[in-house]
Amino acid sequence: MQIYLPIAEISVNIYLLLGIGGLVGVLSGMFGVGGGFLITPLLFFVGIPPAVAVATSANQIVASSVSALFGHIKRKGVDYWMGTVLLIGGLIGSTIGVQIFNLLKAMGQVDLLVNLCYVVFLGIVGGLMFIESINALRKSKRSGARKRRRHNWVHNLPFKVKFRISGLYISVIPPLMVGVFVGILSAIMGVGGGFIMVPAMIYLLGMPTKVVIGTSLFQIIFVSAYTTMMHAITNHTVDIVLALLLLIGGVIGAQFGTRIGAKLKAEQLRILLAALVLLVCIKLGLDLVITPLDVYSLGTGE
């Protein structure tokens, strides 16, 4: 069954869009990511214009993240104070990111920028996370004893605050900067930023994995909602019909993802997320360098 998308100005199979939303919802519940790093490229692949895909993806991320968050709230896996600090940074970053997006759109370079950002960030983050996850999995098999967290430069910064649920006493500067960076990415790439934020919360801030996913979702909800509103007001690129279909699929999928994630170990979740990030990166990278099957050129008719 085909459905016409008024803002994207194309017709797409309705079940395909529901399936994309459902898949991303499962990922949101399992890994604590909004799923934008996957849903935006998938929308590219089905013919949605990049500007519409970026703006509308942020809207779907809100729905799947809200649905997934409820499961983590029940398990008391959300650090609201840490989430609030990340959120403040995220709102600042989103405002900056939307302005950059508008500037590049006016220059006609937004499509290339979005694709390059995906390849670079997904490649770096996925590679580092995959290597670390393999090492963590090996260590957990060798010994069940947990090592004490090592202090790094983060613990020497001023303006320290106690985050009780995370069991941390660190400066608010690092989580604030993480929030700003993720907010910029959210606006430019149409992502929730979980694929950057989750590793940063684990490896940079030293948060326990059991609270990272829920806290990440808490921040993603508000930043993605704000980003969607900004794109709708400034660019008019949010397709409500597309967003609704993705939203329905995302809400349903997130419930299954939360249950699956609860049954897997932290190391297993991290290595699965890393593998998925790398696969998307490779696909987008190949699309940038491989000559398409339908090669055509524009010219004046004679």
Side-chain angles (χ1 to χ4, degrees):
M1 181 191 299
Q2 298 290 112
I3 187 168
Y4 181 73
L5 306 176
I7 303 299
E9 298 182 338
I10 64 168
S11 295
V12 183
N13 188 291
I14 187 171
Y15 300 113
L16 176 61
L17 295 178
L18 288 171
I20 291 174
L23 174 61
V24 173
V26 171
L27 295 177
S28 179
M30 285 180 65
F31 303 122
V33 297
F37 74 92
L38 180 61
I39 196 169
T40 307
L42 287 177
L43 291 178
F44 292 168
F45 300 154
V46 299
I48 307 296
V52 177
V54 167
T56 308
S57 293
N59 186 71
Q60 189 273 346
I61 289 165
V62 177
S64 59
S65 297
V66 168
S67 180
L69 180 64
F70 287 138
H72 292 284
I73 290 175
K74 291 179 181 178
R75 297 182 181 88
K76 298 182 179 179
V78 181
D79 188 330
Y80 295 102
W81 180 221
M82 176 66 79
T84 301
V85 175
L86 291 166
L87 173 60
I88 293 170
L91 295 177
I92 296 171
S94 294
T95 303
I96 297 171
V98 169
Q99 299 306 316
I100 295 173
F101 185 92
N102 292 343
L103 177 63
L104 290 165
K105 186 182 176 186
M107 295 169 60
Q109 299 297 321
V110 71
D111 294 11
L112 179 61
L113 173 77
V114 170
N115 279 285
L116 286 176
C117 281
Y118 270 104
V119 173
V120 172
F121 286 110
L122 294 182
I124 293 173
V125 173
L128 293 175
M129 189 190 294
F130 189 82
I131 293 170
E132 198 282 336
S133 298
I134 291 290
N135 292 333
L137 205 57
R138 288 175 179 173
K139 290 177 183 178
S140 66
K141 289 180 179 179
R142 290 176 187 171
S143 174
R146 293 182 61 185
K147 294 182 179 179
R148 290 187 62 184
R149 293 174 191 161
R150 289 180 295 179
H151 282 228
N152 54 32
W153 60 272
V154 171
H155 297 83
N156 298 323
L157 295 175
F159 309 111
K160 290 187 176 182
V161 174
K162 181 171 283 189
F163 299 96
R164 296 185 182 277
I165 297 178
S166 296
L168 296 176
Y169 181 60
I170 60 172
S171 169
V172 296
I173 296 175
L176 195 64
M177 291 299 100
V178 170
V180 170
F181 185 64
V182 168
I184 293 174
L185 290 184
S186 178
I188 294 176
M189 298 171 64
V191 298
F195 71 95
I196 292 285
M197 189 158 53
V198 169
M201 292 163 76
I202 294 172
Y203 307 126
L204 179 64
L205 305 182
M207 291 178 63
T209 306
K210 65 179 181 180
V211 263
V212 163
I213 296 177
T215 307
S216 171
L217 289 169
F218 174 80
Q219 189 263 8
I220 285 171
I221 289 168
F222 295 101
V223 171
S224 296
Y226 177 74
T227 301
T228 301
M229 182 183 70
M230 290 293 290
H231 276 300
I233 293 172
T234 61
N235 296 319
H236 309 289
T237 48
V238 178
D239 194 308
I240 299 299
V241 178
L242 174 61
L244 182 61
L245 293 172
L246 295 173
L247 184 151
I248 293 171
V251 169
I252 297 172
Q255 296 305 311
F256 290 100
T258 303
R259 294 174 185 175
I260 296 170
K263 296 178 181 179
L264 297 175
K265 294 181 180 179
E267 292 83 4
Q268 293 173 327
L269 283 172
R270 278 145 57 183
I271 200 169
L272 284 173
L273 178 58
L276 187 61
V277 168
L278 287 174
L279 285 174
V280 175
C281 172
I282 292 169
K283 169 61 178 170
L284 287 172
L286 290 174
D287 287 346
L288 285 176
V289 298
I290 293 178
T291 304
L293 295 176
D294 298 324
V295 181
Y296 63 91
S297 61
L298 297 176
T300 57
E302 293 184 359

